[in-house]
Amino acid sequence: MTERIDDIDRIVEADTRRLVDIFKDLHRNPELGFQEVRTARTAAQALGNLGFTVTTGIGRTGVVSVLANGPGPVVMYRADMDALAVPETTGLDYASSNPALGHMCGHDAHVTWMLGLAKVLAETTDSWAGTAVLIGQPAEELITGAQAMIDAGLYDVAPRPDAFLALHTAPVPVGMVAAVGGERMAGTDQLDIVFHGVGGHGSMPQLALDPVLMAAQAVVQFQSIVSRAVAPSETAVLTVGSVQAGSTYNVIPDRALLKVNLRWFNPEVRETMLARIRAICTGIARSYGMPEDRLPEITMAGGATPLVNDTALTDRVATALGDLLGPDNVVRQLPALTGSEDCHLLKGPHVDVPLAYLLVGVADPQVYAKSAEKGQLFPYTPHSPDYMVDLSAIPLGTRIAARAMLELLTPSRF
C-alpha cells in the first residue's frame, strides 16, 4: 500500500510541470460540446505517446483509449472535455482566449487528471493487472455526449468494464474528496418548446397572434408545476434557461422558443412535470386561437437518469483514498445534489456495472475559509464566471485519480 502511494507521488511530482502546462493550455482554449477538436487531439496524442491504443471520433469528438496489462479487471475512467458559453472573469493570466467561452466547470482539470493518471498507469505496469479504459467524453454539458458515444459504437472498440470511475471538481478545499454511495445526482431533461404564432406589425397586434406573449404566459404558469403538482416531499426543479423570439422592436414574430431544464429523482415526478408542461403549452396556444396543426412543438433535447453510486465500490475507493489523503479528508456522507451528469450513460447496455463518482476539492483553502467566514456556502459555484481550479489541485487530483484506479486494477479484489 505504502509503496503504491510512493510510486504515485514520485511519478506525479516529476510530471507536475507538464500537467500544469496542459491544464493552462486547455483552460486558454475552451471548446463547446461536440466541438472539442483541439482538446480531443491533445488527449489522444498524449495517450498514444504513453502506449494506449487510441480511437478518436467516437460520438463526433470522443476519445477512447485502452491499455491492456494482462488478465484482470477492466476499469473504465471518464473525463468530460467540453466548456461553457460563459465568459470568464477570473483575471487569471491563463484565462480563456475566447471572450464568449470558458472552462467554468473544471472539465479542463478532468482531462488533465486523466492524462496524469495515464502516465502513472504506463509507468507502474508491474503493480497492477487488467485493462484500463480511459474515455474523453464530449458534450457533458449538453447531456448528450455519453449517449452519442454509445450510439457511435463505444463497445466496438472498448471492452465491457467491471467497474467505472469518474471524478468531478467541486468548490471545496483542495485535499477534500466526497466519495458517497447511493443516489448522488438528479435525473434531468432538456426541452425545446416552440410556440407558433402569426407575425405582424407591432402597431397592429390585433392582426397577429403573438407567440412572445404565449411563451411569457407559459414561463409564468410553469412556476405552478413544482409548487402545486409535485408533492412537497419530492425533489423537483424546473428552470427556463432561455427565451428566444424576434429580432427588432416593432415586429411581432411568428415563433418563440423556450429552453427548459428539469431535475428530478422520482420518474413519476418527471412524468408529472412533462405532462403539465404539455398541457400548459397546448392550453395557452388554443386560448389564443392557434389551430391544431400549429400547436406548440416540444422536443426532448437530451437527458439522463439519476446518477447512482455503487455503495460497495465507492466505499472501497473511499478507504483507499483515506490512505492517501487521511480519513478525515474523505467525506463519506453527503445529501444528493440536484446537479446532473450523463457519465453513467456510458455504461450503455451494461447497466449493472458499478460506478464510483467522486467530487474533488479544487478551491484554495484560504479562499474557501474566507468565504466561509462571510457565511457563504462556497467561494464560487460551477458555471459561474469566476469558477476557478487552484493549480495545487492539478497534481493532487491526479494522485487521487491514480490511487483510485490502481485500487480497482487489483485482480484479487474482483
Side-chain angles (χ1 to χ4, degrees):
M1 188 75 67
T2 302
E3 291 180 0
R4 177 170 281 182
I5 293 174
D6 289 344
D7 285 342
I8 293 171
D9 290 345
R10 172 181 52 80
I11 295 168
V12 173
E13 182 178 359
D15 197 30
T16 293
R17 177 173 293 183
R18 179 186 75 104
L19 294 175
V20 169
D21 286 346
I22 290 172
F23 170 74
K24 288 182 176 181
D25 180 70
L26 295 175
H27 191 85
R28 286 192 192 99
N29 297 280
E31 297 170 301
L32 294 177
F34 293 126
Q35 299 175 29
E36 312 96 333
V37 175
R38 187 180 186 279
T39 305
R41 183 170 62 246
T42 297
Q45 289 176 348
L47 291 163
N49 289 341
L50 291 168
F52 283 76
T53 300
V54 180
T55 306
T56 58
I58 303 297
R60 293 167 65 176
T61 49
V63 178
V64 181
S65 61
V66 180
L67 183 63
N69 188 35
V74 176
V75 181
M76 180 175 285
Y77 180 98
R78 191 285 315 250
D80 40 2
M81 303 186 295
D82 54 329
L84 291 155
V86 177
E88 181 174 353
T89 62
T90 62
L92 295 167
D93 60 6
Y94 53 90
S96 173
S97 61
N98 188 323
L101 308 181
H103 265 298
M104 313 321 296
C105 199
H107 296 187
D108 45 356
H110 300 173
V111 175
T112 306
W113 291 341
M114 180 176 71
L115 300 183
L117 157 67
K119 187 171 180 63
V120 173
L121 293 177
E123 294 189 9
T124 60
T125 52
D126 58 341
S127 66
W128 64 273
T131 301
V133 180
L134 307 189
I135 304 290
Q137 182 201 311
E140 184 277 333
E141 298 294 356
L142 302 178
I143 309 293
T144 53
Q147 189 60 51
M149 294 192 77
I150 292 296
D151 294 342
L154 169 62
Y155 287 106
D156 293 335
V157 296
R160 177 196 185 280
D162 297 300
F164 186 15
L165 180 67
L167 274 58
H168 200 293
T169 65
V172 298
V174 174
M176 299 293 296
V177 174
V180 185
E183 200 166 53
R184 300 309 314 136
M185 305 189 85
T188 187
D189 290 282
Q190 304 194 139
L191 288 69
D192 288 336
I193 304 175
V194 175
F195 281 86
H196 298 285
V198 176
H201 200 290
S203 67
M204 295 179 284
Q206 75 278 13
L207 302 180
L209 294 175
D210 192 343
V212 177
L213 192 52
M214 297 182 215
Q217 291 198 7
V219 172
V220 173
Q221 290 191 37
F222 288 167
Q223 308 314 306
S224 69
I225 295 176
V226 174
S227 66
R228 289 297 177 269
V230 176
S233 58
E234 297 283 359
T235 298
V237 181
L238 189 159
T239 299
V240 179
S242 178
V243 181
Q244 302 174 18
S247 59
T248 192
Y249 305 98
N250 61 349
V251 177
I252 295 172
D254 63 358
R255 71 191 296 275
L257 169 66
L258 301 180
K259 288 184 173 291
V260 180
N261 178 259
L262 309 181
R263 308 289 170 131
W264 47 274
F265 289 99
N266 183 339
E268 293 182 3
V269 169
R270 173 183 184 263
E271 292 304 319
T272 295
M273 288 195 289
L274 290 173
R276 291 301 179 102
I277 286 170
R278 294 188 189 99
I280 287 171
C281 292
T282 299
I284 290 172
R286 283 176 174 152
S287 74
Y288 274 76
M290 293 303 299
E292 293 296 308
D293 63 348
R294 299 202 68 209
L295 294 177
E297 298 174 12
I298 300 177
T299 303
M300 305 301 290
T305 54
L307 184 149
V308 181
N309 271 347
D310 181 83
T311 298
L313 184 72
T314 306
D315 285 348
R316 178 179 164 189
V317 170
T319 299
L321 293 178
D323 296 334
L324 177 71
L325 304 171
D328 292 343
N329 291 318
V330 181
V331 177
R332 307 288 289 268
Q333 293 185 344
L334 194 70
L337 306 174
T338 50
S340 298
E341 255 283 4
D342 72 341
C343 72
H344 53 297
L345 300 187
L346 287 170
K347 297 179 185 182
H350 312 301
V351 294
D352 58 335
V353 172
L355 166 68
Y357 180 90
L358 313 180
L359 297 176
V360 178
V362 296
D364 181 323
Q366 293 184 350
V367 172
Y368 182 86
K370 289 179 180 178
S371 70
E373 289 174 1
K374 298 176 183 178
Q376 299 173 350
L377 188 60
F378 305 113
Y380 36 73
T381 60
H383 295 201
S384 65
D386 58 345
Y387 192 79
M388 188 182 303
V389 174
D390 190 78
L391 291 180
S392 66
I394 298 306
L396 186 56
T398 302
R399 292 170 64 211
I400 290 167
R403 180 68 190 93
M405 278 292 284
L406 288 176
E407 168 64 21
L408 300 182
L409 286 164
T410 304
S412 61
R413 300 295 294 275
F414 278 90

